């Protein structure tokens, strides 16, 4: 399946709008229903790509929700996944079968999470907590708050509730106040009503100045002098350069050494990340994580055809595609304040030019979109290559957003 179809991801948010995990699925095609073998293939593919033999689980504290059917509950691939980070979603009707229930309880005893879907919360039984760790509640109609109150009234303390779809911020706040534990939807791409446009804060202004200096190849002492104006920024650079992930092998204590060791292109990438993470415009943390994944995915998708030299521009295009939302400014105004290569600007404004199609493909991977297959085909990228890049980008993002 991973060689012919595409993985779609959807974030699960907690009441504070933080990403607690992702729901991964194959792109849904109504003409070809997903089978148990397909779902088993997804678990095997995910285990192979985000669970490293030496370093372990590459998604850090994130939980993965994966659809399941009774026939696959004993698949060997499950043993390659960390049980505490794995949640299988089954239909409530499946739980009525004694053999399925026994298999589920065995998985629960081993630490695997079980989520129940398409069931009446009031009639699933008092012993639900023995079999399930999550129950998915689906909202229908306009009065989501009233439905959330009903669910909250019968909530069991041992079972967490995941609500979907939560499509407005008012509904999100109502559900969070009533005790729902997690939410699925694209709400994070929508600004909260009434949030004032704040533009760039002082930290982002300095970061932008540094980016422009790097682009202009200014001397290292000049860049150092600007960095010194912001102690927090200086601290972050030294912490980054001395991190185990960077692997310099010796402790770097001066900003000048850090800039020299890092180099201008990696410094520009680091500043791009900081520009997004320094946002105070009221957007949720998931938006920033989405931007990082999108940037890295666009870079990986273009690596084969465009080469490593184009990687920084692809990464910037992906990151900046959400910068208007992160800053609370129109994209044109954002681009007026940041000097970017013409091809990057073209990708951001029209999804055209050299980089635009890769950015469009990275965006499509966030949706159950028919565009994914056509875009990948036009770029001569196979489904396997897209899926590997997708999971790699998701893993990479955990190291820069936590």
């Amino acid at each position: 399946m991973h060689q012919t179809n595409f993985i779609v991801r959807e974030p699960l948010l907690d009441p504070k709008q933080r990403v607690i995990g992702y729901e991964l699925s194959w792109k849904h095609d109504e003409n070809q229903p997903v089978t148990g073998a397909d779902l088993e293939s997804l678990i095997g593919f995910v285990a192979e790509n985000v669970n490293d033999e030496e370093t372990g689980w590459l998604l850090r504290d994130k939980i993965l929700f994966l659809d399941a059917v009774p026939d696959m509950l004993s698949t060997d691939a499950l043993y390659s996944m960390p049980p505490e980070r794995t949640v299988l979603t089954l239909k409530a009707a499946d739980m009525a079968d004694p053999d399925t229930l026994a298999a589920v309880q065995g998985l629960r005893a081993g630490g695997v999470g079980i989520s129940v879907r398409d069931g009446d919360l009031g009639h699933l039984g008092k012993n639900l907590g023995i079999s399930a760790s999550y129950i998915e509640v689906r909202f229908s109609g306009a009065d989501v708050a009233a439905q959330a109150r009903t669910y909250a009234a019968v909530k069991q303390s041992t079972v967490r509730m995941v609500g979907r779809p939560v499509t407005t911020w008012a509904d999100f706040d109502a559900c969070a106040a009533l005790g729902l534990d997690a939410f699925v939807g694209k709400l994070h791409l929508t600004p909260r009503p009434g949030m004032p446009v704040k533009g760039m804060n002082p930290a982002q202004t300095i970061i932008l100045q540094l980016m422009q200096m790097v682009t202009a190849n200014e001397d290292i002492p000049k860049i150092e002098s600007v960095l010194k104006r912001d102690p927090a920024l200086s601290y972050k650079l030294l912490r980054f350069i001395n991190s185990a992930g960077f692997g310099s092998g010796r402790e770097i204590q001066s900003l000048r050494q850090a800039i020299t060791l890092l180099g201008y292109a990696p410094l520009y990438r680091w500043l791009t990340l900081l520009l997004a993470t320094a946002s105070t415009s009221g957007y949720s943390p998931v938006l920033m994580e989405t931007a990082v994944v999108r940037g890295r995915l666009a870079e990986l998708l273009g690596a084969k055809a465009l080469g490593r030299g184009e990687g920084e521009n692809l990464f910037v295009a992906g990151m900046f595609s959400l910068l208007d939302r992160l800053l609370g400014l129109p994209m044109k105004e954002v681009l007026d304040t940041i000097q970017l290569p013409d091809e990057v600007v073209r990708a951001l404004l029209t999804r055209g030019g050299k980089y635009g199609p890769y950015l469009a493909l990275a965006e499509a991977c966030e949706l159950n979109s028919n565009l994914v297959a056509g875009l990948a085909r036009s770029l001569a990228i196979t489904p396997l290559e897209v899926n590997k890049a997708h999971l790699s980008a998701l893993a990479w993002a955990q190291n820069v957003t936590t």
Side-chain angles (χ1 to χ4, degrees), residues 251-363:
E251 186 174 359
I252 305 300
Q253 296 182 330
S254 80
L255 293 175
R256 190 169 300 192
Q257 274 184 305
I259 298 167
T260 303
L261 182 61
L262 191 58
Y264 276 26
L267 177 61
Y268 190 88
R269 172 192 289 258
W270 180 75
L271 290 168
T272 302
L273 285 166
L274 280 190
L275 190 64
T277 58
S279 172
T280 56
S281 64
Y283 288 84
S284 58
V286 62
L287 188 62
M288 185 272 291
E289 186 164 324
T290 301
V292 176
V293 176
R294 189 182 290 182
R296 179 61 172 169
L297 180 51
E299 178 185 11
L300 292 174
L301 291 171
K304 184 171 72 171
L306 300 183
R308 294 190 62 181
E310 308 280 3
E312 297 301 330
N313 285 336
L314 279 166
F315 178 77
V316 169
M319 280 288 300
F320 280 16
S321 66
L322 286 169
L323 198 58
D324 54 339
R325 295 183 180 116
L326 283 162
L327 298 179
L329 295 171
M331 180 60 77
K332 188 176 186 310
E333 190 171 335
V334 171
L335 295 177
D336 286 342
T337 60
I338 302 174
Q339 186 177 2
L340 295 172
D342 291 342
E343 284 291 336
V344 173
V345 172
R346 188 178 175 190
L348 290 170
L349 292 178
T350 68
R351 301 301 184 263
K354 184 163 49 173
Y355 306 132
Y358 296 98
L359 172 56
L361 178 54
E363 290 174 312

Side-chain angles (χ1 to χ4, degrees), residues 60-76:
R60 297 173 72 93
D61 61 344
K62 296 296 191 298
I63 302 169
L64 286 189
F65 282 64
L66 301 153
D67 283 349
V69 293
D71 290 346
M72 56 169 285
L73 295 181
S74 59
T75 177
D76 291 341

Side-chain angles (χ1 to χ4, degrees), residues 192-259:
R192 274 187 177 272
M195 288 299 298
V197 174
K198 296 183 178 180
M200 293 194 186
N201 58 40
Q204 288 171 320
T205 302
I206 291 179
I207 294 168
L208 178 60
Q209 182 181 356
L210 288 166
M211 291 175 68
Q212 292 170 334
M213 292 177 75
V214 170
T215 301
N217 289 313
E218 293 278 5
D219 293 338
I220 289 178
K222 291 182 180 178
I223 295 174
E224 179 189 22
S225 68
V226 174
L227 262 171
K228 285 180 176 177
R229 294 182 206 164
D230 189 325
L233 194 58
S234 299
Y235 166 76
K236 288 177 181 178
L237 176 58
L238 290 174
R239 187 179 64 177
F240 172 70
I241 205 75
N242 287 309
S243 68
F246 189 81
S248 63
R250 57 194 174 95
E251 186 174 359
I252 305 300
Q253 296 182 330
S254 80
L255 293 175
R256 190 169 300 192
Q257 274 184 305
I259 298 167

